[in-house]
Amino acid sequence: MLRRAALVAVLVGLGAILIPLLSPQGQQAPKYHVQGKNNTILFLTNEHAGLCNVLLATAYALLENHPHIQVHFASFPKLERRVRETSAFLTTMKTVPGITFHPLPGPTYTEALLEFRSETSIIHPPGLAGIDTMAPNLPDFISPWAAGEYYNIYKAISETIDQVDPAVIALDTMLAPGFDATREKRRVHALVTPNILADMMPAEQPKYTLFWKYPALGSGFPYPVPWKLIPANIYINFRVIMSFLSAPQVREKRAFLKEKGLENPVDFMGLYHPEVPWITQTLPGAHTPLNIIPRNVVLAGPINLAGTETVSESGAELLAWLQQKPTVLISLGSGFKYTHHDATVMTEAIRQVLLATDVQVLWKMVKLEAYNADFISAAMEEAAGRFRVVKWLDVEPPTLLQSGHIAAFVHHGGAGCYHDGLSGGVPQVILPQWVDLYNFAQLVEDLGIVE
């Protein structure tokens, strides 16, 4: 039910973009008004599952309900297989043209982010204790590419826009080169984001509440911020803002791109615009309260691909296994890899749960480096069929969560996982490690959906 409601809300949001194209002439032209081919949409997104899932689900829903629309998808080659599988599943259900994929050059978002740092170096504690690690990394979280890489991606996206000539562009807010190419060309567009509004809209709230009322990014503070934590909240916000405004890598990148002719590149602070529809999977009542929700913002609720994949033989076997007992699903996101220490601690925690309860455990686990994992094999043998470890889930996580067999969902606190958990009505246990993940952990506790 939630999935269907989400898809309807997405379509309403996208319809709000297309309808103005048919408006009578004579109205004041908006800033982003360049019209392309009617009934044509281009999705621009990163390859990271936490960022692209909502756009892929939106493309699926749009094509499912409006098969006459031409849907194009531009991203890095790593995502092509998944886009084609989603498109193929849809074409077996209906007579639709499918999704056309356009590969982008250069390193992916994840590759660029980790080019000069390790997976463990971005981990930090919440609040003041972590600000010295978090703040310098934030500009790279928003735009991790070197200036030359950024420009090459920007050019490729610009060429794709010219080639496809879409009526509408749907943007991943974390694909900064796509953001720049779209706005440089004054194209009609919408933003589609997995994040909750409190992450994206605090600056649109009443004056100064950003500093004293709403928990700062990476703070893990409750809402509203308690009086005793307001000074720390103000300081964290100050550091976050300054990291965007004064970071040397941002200044150098902007200077390079302006020399190449870009008008206002890497504009972190200009993401929101009142003319641009913003579709978020924020679920009313399941987010930090806001005084103001702008009229151009659509609260769609969970946006995911539950039940839209062709289930393989191994996937069918997994779904059958889930039916044996209530299952705890552990998945700390597509970007997290376990050190030997992490794996040892998690394995022992799982052992204790299995000894104390009658549940079974499904653990998505990828090693950070090579090491002997006999301790995991021993725990699996001890559990006598109640403990499974996989590198990749053969069934979409939201499909598992909506199966009715997941008793609890242990995850890292990503926006996608949070909303997938909501879509299945599953209690959540969050193990956050960086930036906004701490805010989601606190939100789950505030809302009482924690196990």
Side-chain angles (χ1 to χ4, degrees):
M1 180 64 71
L2 275 173
R3 175 176 171 268
R4 282 293 165 191
L7 297 182
V8 169
V10 169
L11 293 171
V12 169
L14 289 172
I17 307 167
L18 295 170
I19 289 172
L21 300 179
L22 307 177
S23 300
Q25 298 296 316
Q27 294 182 354
Q28 183 178 2
K31 184 176 181 181
Y32 307 108
H33 65 278
V34 175
Q35 299 184 27
K37 298 175 187 174
N38 198 19
N39 297 320
T40 304
I41 184 168
L42 172 63
F43 288 83
L44 300 176
T45 180
N46 285 293
E47 90 299 344
H48 191 282
L51 302 174
C52 73
N53 282 349
V54 291
L55 285 105
L56 190 53
T58 302
Y60 181 98
L62 191 62
L63 200 52
E64 180 184 35
N65 289 274
H66 299 275
H68 63 284
I69 291 178
Q70 298 294 317
V71 175
H72 296 258
F73 220 91
S75 186
F76 298 95
K78 283 188 175 182
L79 188 60
E80 182 172 4
R81 178 181 174 183
R82 189 150 180 253
V83 171
R84 295 201 182 282
E85 287 176 347
T86 300
S87 180
F89 178 81
L90 183 56
T91 56
T92 63
M93 306 283 289
K94 289 191 172 188
T95 303
V96 296
I99 302 172
T100 303
F101 187 83
H102 303 266
L104 298 180
T108 67
Y109 175 90
T110 306
E111 290 167 349
L113 184 63
L114 297 177
E115 186 173 358
F116 300 109
R117 56 174 62 82
S118 67
E119 284 95 339
T120 56
S121 67
I122 62 176
I123 296 174
H124 63 83
L128 291 175
I131 190 62
D132 287 337
T133 300
M134 181 183 79
N137 284 330
L138 285 177
D140 288 334
F141 277 125
I142 300 297
S143 175
W145 299 277
E149 297 168 344
Y150 189 107
Y151 184 61
N152 289 336
I153 297 170
Y154 165 84
K155 285 196 303 180
I157 292 174
S158 295
E159 292 168 2
T160 300
I161 292 173
D162 291 339
Q163 174 191 344
V164 175
D165 191 24
V168 181
I169 297 174
L171 275 169
D172 168 6
T173 56
M174 301 293 281
L175 185 62
F179 189 83
D180 283 344
T182 298
R183 292 197 169 179
E184 290 281 335
K185 290 179 173 292
R186 305 294 190 265
R187 304 298 299 224
V188 174
H189 61 284
L191 308 180
V192 184
T193 173
N195 299 83
I196 59 172
L197 283 185
D199 287 348
M200 315 301 290
M201 296 286 171
E204 304 303 317
Q205 302 310 301
K207 210 169 185 179
Y208 305 125
T209 53
L210 162 68
F211 294 98
W212 64 264
K213 186 175 183 179
Y214 294 98
L217 186 67
S219 67
F221 294 162
Y223 170 88
V225 177
W227 282 103
K228 65 179 181 180
L229 295 177
I230 288 178
N233 203 65
I234 293 173
Y235 177 73
I236 295 170
N237 271 307
F238 173 77
R239 290 288 302 274
V240 168
I241 293 170
M242 290 305 297
S243 73
F244 290 136
L245 296 179
S246 63
Q249 68 266 41
V250 175
R251 291 198 305 269
E252 293 167 7
K253 192 181 300 184
R254 282 177 176 154
F256 175 87
L257 294 170
K258 284 184 177 181
E259 287 181 2
K260 295 292 186 179
L262 276 70
E263 183 179 319
N264 188 25
V266 202
D267 182 17
F268 299 141
M269 299 302 183
L271 193 62
Y272 174 78
H273 194 286
E275 293 177 352
V276 177
W278 190 312
I279 301 169
T280 166
Q281 62 175 342
T282 298
L283 180 67
H287 63 92
T288 302
L290 298 175
N291 292 92
I292 298 172
I293 297 179
R295 294 182 63 183
N296 61 316
V297 174
V298 176
L299 277 64
I303 305 172
N304 58 55
L305 288 164
T308 63
E309 72 268 45
T310 301
V311 178
S312 63
E313 184 177 335
S314 59
E317 192 277 331
L318 175 61
L319 290 172
W321 180 77
L322 289 180
Q323 297 178 33
Q324 296 178 6
K325 292 178 180 293
T327 302
V328 176
L329 172 61
I330 303 174
S331 176
L332 301 189
S334 57
F336 182 78
K337 297 180 177 62
Y338 288 80
T339 65
H340 183 272
H341 173 74
D342 295 333
T344 302
V345 172
M346 181 63 83
T347 302
E348 182 57 29
I350 291 170
R351 282 189 67 250
Q352 295 303 317
V353 169
L354 293 171
L355 289 170
T357 70
D358 192 39
V359 302
Q360 55 188 19
V361 175
L362 174 60
W363 181 20
K364 177 180 174 290
M365 186 272 193
V366 178
K367 296 178 182 179
L368 179 62
E369 66 271 323
Y371 53 80
N372 187 315
D374 287 347
F375 58 94
I376 298 178
S377 300
M380 293 175 65
E381 184 177 350
E382 180 184 49
R386 292 167 54 213
F387 180 22
R388 285 196 175 189
V389 181
V390 297
K391 289 184 178 180
W392 189 255
L393 295 169
D394 291 322
V395 180
E396 289 279 350
T399 301
L400 297 178
L401 290 161
Q402 293 183 29
S403 69
H405 303 299
I406 304 298
F409 183 24
V410 182
H411 61 90
H412 62 310
C417 288
Y418 169 72
H419 288 96
D420 286 348
L422 290 180
S423 73
V426 177
Q428 303 184 37
V429 178
I430 295 184
L431 305 176
Q433 298 189 68
W434 55 75
V435 196
D436 61 329
L437 309 186
Y438 290 106
N439 297 66
F440 276 103
Q442 182 62 51
L443 178 61
V444 164
E445 184 173 335
D446 291 343
L447 294 175
I449 55 176
V450 61
E451 179 62 36

